[in-house]
Amino acid sequence: MLRTKVQERLLTADLALFGALLLVTIWYPTSAIDGYGISYYLTHLDSFVPLATGFVTCSVFSWLASRDLPLRGGLGVLRRALRIMSVLILGICFTPYTWGTLFDWTHQTLGSILFIEQLVMSAWIWWRYARNWFNATMILVQVIGGVMALLSLPNDGIMVLFQGEVMFQIGFALLLFHSLSRLIPDDLEHTLPLPSSHPYGSAPASSS
């Protein structure tokens, strides 16, 4: 079923991202992430490799989840939003802020766009599809995490950038996963074609 396929791919994306974050924070504990956030781990080779693996896996499976969605209607909007998110995640991963001013500004710009896009997507899902207390709470979690991250951007800020970033991403992931049953209800799912398991689309017809 389409919803199950999308759920599996989004779950894989989330597990890859949060699993990589958990791994690097356990193996490479440092207070520097309070001021530099997740991005700090992307500037050191030993932590870059596992974290970049999580980023790339998250990006790929977010893209695959979007590929299963139809182009029409609200699901078409979600499809495009997931693809934009996928590209932004890759861009953030491969623009370490220590590589000069251009990389620093690019990294910060991509990160800001990602947070704004995810918050707008969450608000759109809540408003159009799933107005419930859980999603409202997850949007509040994102706003609080975003404010924490914003106030931590200057190095002399409140220094909870990592915590704010993680809180924001958890709120977004839970809202999106929780809302799939409303985004792809049973009556709609029965009218949509099943996603193809063939890597390039529809499998070629077998010759008789």
Side-chain angles (χ1 to χ4, degrees):
M1 297 175 70
L2 174 62
R3 185 169 65 237
T4 301
K5 194 74 171 180
V6 174
Q7 284 176 333
E8 289 174 350
R9 288 179 168 169
L10 289 178
L11 180 60
T12 301
D14 291 337
L15 289 176
L17 176 62
F18 293 115
L21 283 173
L22 180 62
L23 180 64
V24 295
T25 52
I26 291 175
W27 278 9
Y28 311 104
T30 173
S31 60
I33 59 176
D34 295 338
Y36 294 100
I38 297 171
S39 302
Y40 176 82
Y41 288 121
L42 295 172
T43 63
H44 296 79
L45 184 59
D46 51 355
S47 55
F48 172 83
V49 173
L51 187 56
T53 301
F55 268 58
V56 172
T57 304
C58 178
S59 174
V60 169
F61 276 89
S62 296
W63 184 278
L64 290 175
S66 76
R67 191 184 65 175
D68 292 333
L69 297 172
L71 292 170
R72 60 184 173 84
L75 291 180
V77 175
L78 180 60
R79 175 190 175 105
R80 290 186 290 273
L82 286 174
R83 292 195 167 192
I84 293 171
M85 186 181 77
S86 175
V87 173
L88 290 171
I89 290 171
L90 283 182
I92 292 169
C93 181
F94 294 105
T95 53
Y97 62 85
T98 54
W99 286 12
T101 303
L102 177 60
F103 276 84
D104 185 17
W105 279 103
T106 301
H107 184 84
Q108 292 189 46
T109 300
L110 293 177
S112 299
I113 294 173
L114 176 65
F115 271 48
I116 292 171
E117 190 226 12
Q118 290 176 326
L119 185 58
V120 170
M121 195 192 317
S122 298
W124 173 76
I125 290 172
W126 177 83
W127 179 259
R128 180 165 179 176
Y129 291 98
R131 296 190 201 180
N132 53 58
W133 69 268
F134 182 86
N135 283 354
T137 302
M138 290 303 101
I139 290 175
L140 180 61
V141 168
Q142 290 178 66
V143 171
I144 294 173
V147 170
M148 289 170 59
L150 180 64
L151 295 178
S152 300
L153 284 178
N155 290 334
D156 57 350
I158 61 175
M159 304 295 282
V160 286
L161 181 55
F162 180 84
Q163 294 88 335
E165 290 173 334
V166 172
M167 182 183 296
F168 187 99
Q169 292 304 321
I170 289 175
F172 172 75
L174 290 176
L175 181 146
L176 181 57
F177 200 79
H178 180 261
S179 301
L180 283 177
S181 61
R182 302 293 295 274
L183 289 162
I184 314 174
D186 293 338
D187 56 344
L188 173 62
E189 188 168 28
H190 294 324
T191 68
L192 298 173
L194 291 174
S196 172
S197 59
H198 193 270
Y200 304 106
S202 300
S206 59
S207 58
S208 56

